[in-house]
Coordinates of all heavy atoms in Angstrom, one line a residue:
N171 N -137.1 -26.2 114.1 CA -138.2 -25.6 114.8 C -138.0 -24.1 115.1 O -139.0 -23.3 115.0 CB -138.5 -26.4 116.1 CG -139.0 -27.8 115.8 OD1 -139.5 -28.1 114.8 ND2 -138.8 -28.7 116.8
K172 N -136.8 -23.8 115.5 CA -136.5 -22.4 115.8 C -136.6 -21.5 114.5 O -137.1 -20.4 114.6 CB -135.1 -22.3 116.4 CG -135.1 -22.6 117.9 CD -133.7 -22.4 118.5 CE -133.7 -22.6 120.0 NZ -134.5 -21.5 120.7
L173 N -136.1 -22.0 113.4 CA -136.1 -21.3 112.2 C -137.6 -21.1 111.7 O -138.0 -20.0 111.2 CB -135.3 -22.0 111.1 CG -133.8 -22.0 111.3 CD1 -133.1 -22.8 110.2 CD2 -133.2 -20.6 111.4
Q174 N -138.4 -22.1 111.9 CA -139.8 -22.0 111.5 C -140.5 -21.0 112.3 O -141.5 -20.3 111.9 CB -140.5 -23.4 111.6 CG -141.9 -23.5 111.1 CD -141.9 -23.2 109.6 OE1 -141.2 -23.8 108.8 NE2 -142.8 -22.3 109.2
A175 N -140.2 -20.9 113.6 CA -140.9 -20.0 114.5 C -140.5 -18.5 114.3 O -141.2 -17.6 114.8 CB -140.6 -20.4 116.0
D176 N -139.4 -18.3 113.6 CA -138.9 -16.9 113.4 C -139.9 -16.2 112.4 O -140.0 -16.7 111.2 CB -137.5 -16.9 112.9 CG -136.9 -15.5 112.9 OD1 -137.3 -14.6 112.2 OD2 -135.9 -15.3 113.7
T177 N -140.5 -15.1 112.8 CA -141.5 -14.5 111.9 C -140.9 -13.6 110.9 O -141.6 -13.1 110.0 CB -142.5 -13.7 112.8 OG1 -141.7 -12.7 113.6 CG2 -143.2 -14.6 113.8
V178 N -139.6 -13.3 111.0 CA -139.0 -12.4 110.0 C -138.5 -13.2 108.8 O -138.6 -12.7 107.6 CB -137.8 -11.6 110.6 CG1 -137.2 -10.7 109.5 CG2 -138.3 -10.8 111.8
L179 N -138.1 -14.4 109.0 CA -137.6 -15.3 107.9 C -138.8 -15.6 107.0 O -140.0 -15.7 107.5 CB -137.0 -16.5 108.4 CG -135.6 -16.3 109.1 CD1 -135.1 -17.6 109.8 CD2 -134.6 -15.9 108.0
E180 N -138.6 -16.0 105.8 CA -139.6 -16.3 104.9 C -139.3 -17.7 104.2 O -138.2 -18.2 104.2 CB -139.8 -15.2 103.8 CG -140.2 -13.9 104.3 CD -140.4 -12.9 103.2 OE1 -140.1 -13.2 102.0 OE2 -140.7 -11.7 103.5
G181 N -140.4 -18.2 103.6 CA -140.2 -19.5 102.8 C -140.2 -20.7 103.7 O -140.2 -20.7 104.9
E182 N -140.3 -21.8 103.0 CA -140.3 -23.1 103.6 C -138.9 -23.7 103.9 O -138.0 -23.3 103.2 CB -141.1 -24.1 102.7 CG -142.5 -23.8 102.5 CD -143.4 -23.7 103.7 OE1 -143.1 -24.6 104.6 OE2 -144.3 -22.9 103.8
L183 N -138.9 -24.5 104.9 CA -137.6 -25.2 105.2 C -137.4 -26.4 104.2 O -138.4 -26.8 103.6 CB -137.6 -25.7 106.6 CG -137.5 -24.7 107.7 CD1 -138.0 -25.2 109.0 CD2 -136.0 -24.3 107.8
P184 N -136.2 -26.9 104.1 CA -136.0 -28.1 103.2 C -136.9 -29.2 103.6 O -137.1 -29.4 104.8 CB -134.5 -28.4 103.4 CG -133.9 -27.1 103.8 CD -135.0 -26.4 104.6
S185 N -137.4 -30.0 102.7 CA -138.3 -31.1 103.0 C -137.6 -32.2 103.7 O -138.2 -32.9 104.6 CB -139.0 -31.6 101.8 OG -138.1 -31.9 100.8
A186 N -136.3 -32.4 103.4 CA -135.5 -33.4 104.0 C -134.6 -32.8 105.0 O -133.9 -31.8 104.8 CB -134.7 -34.2 103.0
L187 N -134.5 -33.4 106.2 CA -133.6 -32.9 107.3 C -132.2 -33.2 106.9 O -131.8 -34.3 106.4 CB -133.9 -33.6 108.6 CG -135.2 -33.3 109.3 CD1 -135.4 -34.1 110.5 CD2 -135.3 -31.8 109.6
P188 N -131.3 -32.2 107.0 CA -129.8 -32.5 106.8 C -129.3 -33.5 107.8 O -130.0 -33.8 108.8 CB -129.2 -31.1 107.1 CG -130.3 -30.1 106.9 CD -131.5 -30.8 107.4
A189 N -128.2 -34.0 107.6 CA -127.6 -35.0 108.5 C -127.3 -34.4 109.9 O -126.9 -33.2 110.0 CB -126.3 -35.5 107.9
E190 N -127.6 -35.2 110.9 CA -127.3 -34.7 112.3 C -125.8 -34.3 112.4 O -124.9 -35.0 111.9 CB -127.7 -35.8 113.3 CG -127.9 -35.3 114.7 CD -129.1 -34.5 114.8 OE1 -130.2 -35.0 114.9 OE2 -129.0 -33.2 114.8
G191 N -125.6 -33.2 113.0 CA -124.2 -32.7 113.2 C -123.7 -31.9 112.1 O -122.5 -31.4 112.2
S192 N -124.5 -31.7 111.0 CA -123.9 -31.0 109.8 C -124.2 -29.5 109.8 O -123.8 -28.8 108.9 CB -124.6 -31.6 108.6 OG -126.0 -31.4 108.5
L193 N -124.9 -29.0 110.9 CA -125.2 -27.5 110.9 C -124.4 -26.9 112.0 O -124.3 -27.4 113.2 CB -126.7 -27.3 111.1 CG -127.6 -28.0 110.1 CD1 -129.1 -27.7 110.5 CD2 -127.3 -27.6 108.7
R194 N -123.8 -25.7 111.7 CA -123.0 -25.0 112.7 C -123.8 -24.2 113.6 O -124.5 -23.2 113.2 CB -121.9 -24.2 112.0 CG -121.1 -23.4 113.0 CD -119.9 -22.7 112.4 NE -119.2 -22.0 113.4 CZ -118.1 -21.2 113.2 NH1 -117.7 -21.1 111.9 NH2 -117.4 -20.6 114.1
P195 N -123.8 -24.4 114.9 CA -124.5 -23.5 115.9 C -123.8 -22.2 115.9 O -122.6 -22.1 116.0 CB -124.3 -24.3 117.2 CG -123.9 -25.7 116.9 CD -123.1 -25.6 115.6
D196 N -124.6 -21.1 115.9 CA -124.0 -19.8 115.9 C -125.2 -18.8 115.9 O -126.4 -19.2 115.8 CB -123.1 -19.5 114.7 CG -122.1 -18.5 114.9 OD1 -122.2 -17.7 115.9 OD2 -121.1 -18.4 114.2
T197 N -124.9 -17.5 115.9 CA -125.8 -16.4 115.7 C -125.7 -16.0 114.3 O -124.7 -15.5 113.8 CB -125.6 -15.3 116.7 OG1 -125.8 -15.7 118.0 CG2 -126.6 -14.1 116.4
Y198 N -126.8 -16.0 113.6 CA -126.9 -15.7 112.1 C -127.7 -14.4 111.9 O -128.8 -14.3 112.4 CB -127.4 -16.8 111.3 CG -126.6 -18.0 111.3 CD1 -126.6 -19.0 112.3 CD2 -125.6 -18.2 110.3 CE1 -125.8 -20.1 112.3 CE2 -124.8 -19.3 110.3 CZ -124.9 -20.2 111.3 OH -124.0 -21.3 111.3
K199 N -127.1 -13.4 111.3 CA -127.7 -12.1 111.0 C -128.3 -12.2 109.6 O -127.7 -12.8 108.6 CB -126.7 -11.0 111.1 CG -126.2 -10.8 112.5 CD -125.4 -9.6 112.7 CE -124.9 -9.4 114.1 NZ -126.0 -9.2 115.0
F200 N -129.5 -11.5 109.4 CA -130.1 -11.5 108.1 C -131.0 -10.3 108.0 O -131.4 -9.7 109.0 CB -130.9 -12.8 107.9 CG -132.0 -13.1 109.0 CD1 -133.3 -12.6 108.8 CD2 -131.6 -13.7 110.2 CE1 -134.2 -12.8 109.8 CE2 -132.6 -13.9 111.2 CZ -133.9 -13.5 111.0
T201 N -131.4 -10.0 106.8 CA -132.4 -9.0 106.5 C -133.8 -9.5 106.3 O -133.9 -10.7 106.0 CB -132.0 -8.2 105.3 OG1 -131.9 -9.1 104.1 CG2 -130.6 -7.5 105.5
R202 N -134.8 -8.7 106.4 CA -136.2 -9.1 106.2 C -136.3 -9.6 104.8 O -135.8 -9.0 103.8 CB -137.1 -8.0 106.5 CG -138.6 -8.4 106.3 CD -139.5 -7.2 106.6 NE -139.5 -6.9 108.0 CZ -140.1 -7.4 109.0 NH1 -141.0 -8.5 108.7 NH2 -140.0 -7.0 110.3
G203 N -137.0 -10.7 104.7 CA -137.1 -11.3 103.3 C -136.2 -12.5 103.1 O -136.3 -13.2 102.1
T204 N -135.2 -12.7 104.0 CA -134.3 -13.8 103.8 C -135.0 -15.1 103.9 O -135.9 -15.3 104.7 CB -133.2 -13.8 104.8 OG1 -132.4 -12.5 104.7 CG2 -132.2 -14.9 104.7
K205 N -134.7 -16.1 103.1 CA -135.4 -17.4 103.0 C -134.8 -18.3 104.1 O -133.6 -18.2 104.4 CB -135.2 -18.0 101.7 CG -135.7 -17.2 100.5 CD -137.2 -16.9 100.6 CE -137.6 -16.0 99.4 NZ -139.1 -15.6 99.6
R206 N -135.6 -19.1 104.7 CA -135.1 -20.1 105.7 C -134.1 -21.0 105.1 O -133.2 -21.4 105.8 CB -136.3 -20.8 106.3 CG -137.2 -19.9 107.1 CD -138.4 -20.7 107.7 NE -139.2 -19.9 108.7 CZ -140.2 -19.1 108.3 NH1 -140.5 -19.0 107.0 NH2 -140.8 -18.3 109.2
T207 N -134.3 -21.4 103.9 CA -133.3 -22.3 103.2 C -132.0 -21.6 103.1 O -130.9 -22.3 103.2 CB -133.8 -22.7 101.8 OG1 -134.1 -21.4 101.1 CG2 -135.1 -23.5 101.9
E208 N -131.9 -20.3 103.0 CA -130.6 -19.6 103.0 C -129.8 -19.8 104.3 O -128.6 -19.9 104.3 CB -130.8 -18.1 102.6 CG -131.4 -17.9 101.3 CD -131.6 -16.4 101.0 OE1 -130.8 -15.6 101.6 OE2 -132.6 -16.0 100.3
I209 N -130.6 -19.7 105.4 CA -129.9 -19.8 106.7 C -129.4 -21.3 106.9 O -128.3 -21.5 107.3 CB -130.9 -19.5 107.9 CG1 -131.4 -18.1 107.7 CG2 -130.2 -19.7 109.2 CD1 -130.3 -17.0 107.9
V210 N -130.2 -22.2 106.4 CA -129.8 -23.6 106.5 C -128.5 -23.9 105.7 O -127.6 -24.5 106.1 CB -130.9 -24.6 106.1 CG1 -130.4 -26.0 106.0 CG2 -132.1 -24.5 107.0
Q211 N -128.5 -23.3 104.5 CA -127.3 -23.4 103.6 C -126.1 -22.8 104.3 O -125.0 -23.3 104.2 CB -127.6 -22.8 102.3 CG -128.6 -23.6 101.4 CD -129.1 -22.8 100.2 OE1 -128.7 -21.7 100.0 NE2 -130.0 -23.4 99.4
Q212 N -126.3 -21.6 104.9 CA -125.2 -21.0 105.6 C -124.6 -21.8 106.7 O -123.4 -22.0 106.9 CB -125.6 -19.6 106.2 CG -125.8 -18.5 105.1 CD -126.2 -17.2 105.8 OE1 -125.6 -16.8 106.8 NE2 -127.2 -16.5 105.3
M213 N -125.5 -22.4 107.5 CA -125.1 -23.3 108.6 C -124.4 -24.5 108.1 O -123.4 -24.9 108.7 CB -126.4 -23.7 109.4 CG -127.1 -22.5 110.1 SD -128.5 -23.2 111.1 CE -127.5 -23.8 112.5
A214 N -124.9 -25.1 107.0 CA -124.2 -26.3 106.5 C -122.8 -26.0 106.0 O -121.9 -26.7 106.3 CB -125.1 -26.9 105.4
G215 N -122.7 -24.9 105.2 CA -121.4 -24.5 104.7 C -120.4 -24.1 105.8 O -119.2 -24.5 105.7
A216 N -120.9 -23.4 106.8 CA -120.1 -23.0 107.9 C -119.6 -24.2 108.7 O -118.4 -24.3 109.2 CB -120.8 -22.0 108.8
Q217 N -120.4 -25.2 109.0 CA -120.0 -26.4 109.7 C -119.0 -27.2 109.0 O -118.0 -27.7 109.6 CB -121.3 -27.2 110.1 CG -121.0 -28.4 111.0 CD -120.7 -28.0 112.5 OE1 -120.3 -26.9 112.7 NE2 -121.0 -28.9 113.4
E218 N -119.2 -27.4 107.7 CA -118.3 -28.2 106.9 C -116.9 -27.5 106.9 O -115.9 -28.2 107.1 CB -118.8 -28.3 105.4 CG -117.9 -29.1 104.5 CD -118.4 -29.2 103.1 OE1 -119.5 -28.5 102.8 OE2 -117.8 -30.0 102.3
K219 N -116.9 -26.2 106.8 CA -115.6 -25.5 106.8 C -114.9 -25.6 108.1 O -113.7 -25.8 108.2 CB -115.9 -24.0 106.4 CG -114.6 -23.2 106.4 CD -114.9 -21.7 106.0 CE -113.7 -20.9 105.9 NZ -114.0 -19.5 105.6
L220 N -115.7 -25.4 109.2 CA -115.2 -25.5 110.6 C -114.6 -26.9 110.9 O -113.5 -27.0 111.4 CB -116.2 -25.1 111.6 CG -115.8 -25.2 113.1 CD1 -114.7 -24.2 113.3 CD2 -117.0 -25.0 114.0
V221 N -115.4 -27.9 110.5 CA -114.9 -29.3 110.8 C -113.6 -29.6 110.0 O -112.7 -30.2 110.6 CB -116.0 -30.3 110.4 CG1 -115.5 -31.7 110.4 CG2 -117.2 -30.2 111.4
D222 N -113.6 -29.2 108.8 CA -112.4 -29.4 108.0 C -111.1 -28.7 108.6 O -110.0 -29.3 108.7 CB -112.6 -28.9 106.6 CG -113.5 -29.8 105.7 OD1 -113.7 -30.9 106.2 OD2 -114.0 -29.3 104.7
Q223 N -111.3 -27.5 109.0 CA -110.2 -26.7 109.6 C -109.7 -27.4 110.9 O -108.5 -27.5 111.1 CB -110.7 -25.3 109.9 CG -110.9 -24.4 108.7 CD -111.4 -23.0 109.1 OE1 -111.9 -22.8 110.2 NE2 -111.3 -22.1 108.1
I224 N -110.6 -27.8 111.8 CA -110.2 -28.3 113.1 C -109.6 -29.8 112.9 O -108.6 -30.1 113.5 CB -111.4 -28.3 114.1 CG1 -111.8 -26.9 114.4 CG2 -111.0 -29.1 115.4 CD1 -113.0 -26.8 115.3
W225 N -110.2 -30.5 112.0 CA -109.7 -31.9 111.7 C -108.3 -31.8 111.2 O -107.5 -32.7 111.5 CB -110.7 -32.5 110.7 CG -110.3 -33.9 110.3 CD1 -109.8 -34.3 109.1 CD2 -110.3 -35.1 111.1 NE1 -109.5 -35.7 109.0 CE2 -109.9 -36.2 110.3 CE3 -110.7 -35.4 112.4 CZ2 -109.8 -37.5 110.7 CZ3 -110.7 -36.7 112.8 CH2 -110.2 -37.7 112.0
Q226 N -108.0 -30.9 110.4 CA -106.6 -30.8 109.8 C -105.6 -30.5 110.9 O -104.4 -30.8 110.8 CB -106.6 -29.7 108.7 CG -107.3 -30.1 107.5 CD -107.4 -28.9 106.5 OE1 -106.8 -27.8 106.7 NE2 -108.1 -29.1 105.3
K227 N -106.0 -29.8 112.0 CA -105.1 -29.5 113.1 C -105.2 -30.4 114.3 O -104.8 -30.1 115.4 CB -105.4 -28.0 113.5 CG -105.1 -27.0 112.4 CD -105.5 -25.6 112.9 CE -105.2 -24.6 111.8 NZ -105.6 -23.2 112.2
R228 N -105.8 -31.6 114.1 CA -106.0 -32.5 115.2 C -104.7 -33.1 115.7 O -103.7 -33.1 115.0 CB -106.9 -33.6 114.7 CG -106.3 -34.6 113.7 CD -107.4 -35.5 113.1 NE -106.8 -36.5 112.2 CZ -106.5 -36.2 110.9 NH1 -106.8 -35.0 110.4 NH2 -106.1 -37.2 110.1
D229 N -104.8 -33.6 116.9 CA -103.6 -34.3 117.5 C -103.3 -35.5 116.6 O -104.1 -36.3 116.2 CB -104.0 -34.8 118.9 CG -102.9 -35.5 119.6 OD1 -102.0 -36.0 119.0 OD2 -102.9 -35.4 120.9

Side-chain angles (χ1 to χ4, degrees):
N171 290 341
K172 283 184 170 292
L173 294 178
Q174 187 62 49
D176 194 292
T177 57
V178 179
L179 290 170
E180 296 182 359
E182 298 297 326
L183 286 160
S185 56
L187 290 176
E190 199 70 80
S192 66
L193 303 181
R194 179 175 179 179
D196 206 342
T197 295
Y198 292 86
K199 295 185 179 298
F200 57 91
T201 58
R202 184 177 292 277
T204 298
K205 305 299 182 185
R206 292 180 173 87
T207 53
E208 295 178 32
I209 301 297
V210 174
Q211 290 169 359
Q212 287 184 45
M213 296 185 72
Q217 186 73 335
E218 181 179 7
K219 182 178 179 181
L220 178 64
V221 170
D222 287 344
Q223 289 176 344
I224 298 177
W225 178 252
Q226 290 174 3
K227 298 178 181 179
R228 69 189 183 279
D229 186 329

